[in-house]
Amino acid sequence: AQIWQPQDPCVIPGITYHPPNMPGQGRSIEATWQACQMRCQRLQPQGCAHFSFWPDGGCHLSDSGAVETLAWGTGADKMVSGPV
């Protein structure tokens, strides 16, 4: 599965957000970063502003109060994040 394309302006490799999950939301499993971004778009009225997608399919959603941070741990070099 394709994780990200360097020329794609919608994603930033190696960056995640802290806290990782906005209130009321937890980690979900999505097939692609685009599906993770769409999940955030659906929850934009509840405050979703950023998504983080990990190579194991993990999708985390953060609100506008979250802070950008370098990803670390297993798969950090292949994860991507971006705006809603």
Side-chain angles (χ1 to χ4, degrees):
Q2 188 172 9
I3 303 296
W4 67 284
Q5 297 174 338
Q7 71 274 17
D8 197 317
C10 291
V11 295
I12 306 164
I15 296 293
T16 188
Y17 292 88
H18 183 78
N21 297 307
M22 59 186 262
Q25 297 299 316
R27 180 181 186 271
S28 68
I29 300 294
E30 307 296 338
T32 64
W33 69 260
Q34 293 94 335
C36 185
Q37 184 183 43
M38 287 178 63
R39 180 178 167 227
C40 190
Q41 287 173 348
R42 287 192 303 273
L43 292 168
Q44 193 173 12
Q46 287 81 22
C48 190
H50 313 282
F51 71 92
S52 298
F53 180 75
W54 292 79
D56 64 358
C59 174
H60 296 271
L61 306 181
S62 300
D63 60 25
S64 61
V67 178
E68 229 178 64
T69 186
L70 287 175
W72 59 275
T74 304
D77 60 333
K78 295 184 175 115
M79 67 82 51
V80 296
S81 63
V84 70

